[in-house]
């Protein structure tokens, strides 16, 4: 479904992002995965190459909150491959701090990665997508945009911002044939969830009508669809992949 497409995936080293990288490769894309550090990005690339030595994969580790850093890396990729068809903004950090223990720095650290980092990558990539006649941008939102979250308020705040940015940019970039969508995972079996307190997770699973938590591969299928030509006329959507989670 993605034969010969050039795809950048931020936060591709583990969890949902890593499943997206693997699914994109299986569907024929050339993938550049971004990690937060050289060590983790290289390790993730090596693990993929161990399973498939011919995988069209490379790693990079620009600083997402720093526009100069990400823009330099996106330029390098465009010069090397001649185009960038797909940008997946998946890197994200969560939080479970009580609002009474918050400070301004904690709040802005989360917004820096989840919103500014994502916006920086979009800003860097859109001139190339416009020049080449289109592209697909997919942001990672969250089920918390259905009903908020009881702790760690910067996290739902950041994901509501992701939805706002997705829906708005789909309108603005549509005339340039750049589609902008988001995938909103429900509770998914990754390190991010393993690190959250049990008392936060267990009651949530009971609220999932499909009665299980999602696996990263449940999510990657949605990313492949939105990245592909099958979703040619789909833009400005937030696709919830959450087992019909209810409150
Ligand atoms: P994870 O913690 O397993 O992976 C997060 C990824 O983001 C990693 O690859 C990490 O390297 C990257 N990252 C984190 N901070 C970074 C930084 N400063 N710079 C560069 N990269 C950084 O988490 P996951 O569960 O796979 O989450 C992926 C996305 O899905 C996130 O945006 C998250 O908010 C969203 N999400 C996850 C769940 C869930 O239940 N797991 C639910 C809703 C939304």
């Amino acid at each position: 479904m993605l034969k010969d497409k050039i795809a950048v995936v931020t936060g591709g080293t583990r969890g949902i992002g890593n499943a997206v990288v693997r699914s994109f490769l299986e569907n024929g894309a050339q993938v550049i995965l971004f990690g937060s550090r050289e060590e983790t990005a290289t390790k993730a690339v090596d693990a993929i190459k161990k399973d498939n030595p011919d995988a069209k994969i490379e790693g990079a580790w620009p600083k997402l909150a720093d526009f100069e850093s990400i823009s330099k890396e996106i330029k390098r990729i465009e010069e090397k491959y001649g185009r960038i068809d797909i940008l997946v903004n998946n890197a994200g950090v969560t939080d479970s701090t009580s609002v009474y223990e918050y400070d301004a720095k904690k709040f802005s650290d989360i917004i820096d990665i989840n919103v500014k980092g994502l916006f920086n990558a979009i800003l860097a990539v859109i001139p190339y997508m416009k020049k080449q006649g289109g592209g697909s941008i997919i942001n990672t939102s969250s089920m918390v945009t259905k009903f908020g979250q009881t702790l760690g308020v910067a996290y739902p705040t950041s994901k509501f911002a992701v939805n706002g940015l997705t829906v708005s940019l789909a309108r603005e970039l549509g005339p340039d044939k750049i589609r902008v969508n988001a995938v909103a995972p429900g509770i998914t079996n990754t390190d991010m969830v393993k690190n959250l307190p049990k008392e936060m997770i267990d009651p949530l699973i009971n609220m999932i009508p499909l009665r299980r938590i999602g696996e990263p591969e449940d999510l990657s299928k949605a990313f492949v669809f939105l990245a592909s030509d099958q979703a040619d006329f789909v833009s400005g959507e937030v696709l919830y992949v959450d087992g019909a989670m209810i409150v």
Side-chain angles (χ1 to χ4, degrees):
M1 282 170 81
L2 304 177
K3 195 168 176 328
D4 299 329
K5 303 261 193 207
I6 310 299
V8 172
V9 180
T10 75
T13 55
R14 56 173 200 254
I16 294 169
N18 195 254
V20 171
V21 168
R22 287 174 182 269
S23 295
F24 277 16
L25 290 169
E26 281 163 19
N27 280 277
Q30 160 72 53
V31 181
I32 301 90
L33 76 75
F34 285 5
S36 47
R37 290 179 290 127
E38 177 173 2
E39 187 197 344
T40 49
T42 307
K43 207 171 140 195
V45 168
D46 289 348
I48 289 168
K49 286 228 155 133
K50 195 169 165 229
D51 296 342
N52 175 10
D54 298 328
K56 293 186 285 179
I57 178 81
E58 68 168 295
W61 43 94
K63 295 273 159 265
L64 298 183
D66 173 358
F67 178 71
E68 292 310 316
S69 170
I70 190 147
S71 138
K72 210 169 123 196
E73 183 54 36
I74 292 290
K75 183 166 183 280
R76 183 196 69 80
I77 293 166
E78 202 270 347
E79 281 170 3
K80 179 168 176 184
Y81 296 103
R83 54 190 297 115
I84 299 176
D85 300 291
I86 302 158
L87 168 67
V88 172
N89 280 309
N90 165 78
V93 282
T94 190
D95 188 37
S96 56
T97 310
S98 158
V99 70
Y100 294 108
E101 284 151 30
Y102 251 87
D103 57 35
K105 183 175 182 312
K106 176 147 206 115
F107 191 83
S108 59
D109 282 351
I110 291 164
I111 301 295
D112 271 358
I113 297 302
N114 293 5
V115 185
K116 272 174 69 182
L118 177 146
F119 185 62
N120 284 343
I122 291 174
L123 265 193
V125 96
I126 53 176
Y128 301 117
M129 287 186 169
K130 181 177 180 176
K131 190 180 71 177
Q132 74 200 16
S136 172
I137 296 171
I138 311 169
N139 301 317
T140 308
S141 175
S142 168
M143 64 174 182
V144 300
T145 58
K146 275 186 180 168
F147 34 70
Q149 181 173 291
T150 44
L151 293 167
V153 71
Y155 183 73
T157 303
S158 73
K159 295 300 185 178
F160 275 99
V162 168
N163 288 6
L165 197 138
T166 299
V167 173
S168 303
L169 286 183
R171 267 82 200 164
E172 190 169 349
L173 296 173
D176 295 322
K177 311 253 179 311
I178 301 172
R179 297 185 295 107
V180 189
N181 291 289
V183 172
I187 305 167
T188 310
N189 196 9
T190 68
D191 291 351
M192 179 174 274
V193 161
K194 285 170 198 146
N195 292 335
L196 289 174
K198 196 172 154 45
E199 58 272 23
M200 206 167 154
I201 295 302
D202 283 354
L204 292 175
I205 292 175
N206 291 329
M207 296 174 185
I208 303 171
L210 288 177
R211 288 291 183 268
R212 66 172 176 88
I213 70 171
E215 294 301 326
E217 293 68 28
D218 292 316
L219 273 303
S220 63
K221 289 177 205 163
F223 282 88
V224 170
F225 165 68
L226 288 172
S228 78
D229 295 344
Q230 298 292 310
D232 251 352
F233 201 50
V234 181
S235 194
E237 286 301 317
V238 178
L239 176 55
Y240 288 84
V241 181
D242 63 359
M245 180 88 178
I246 46 171
V247 276

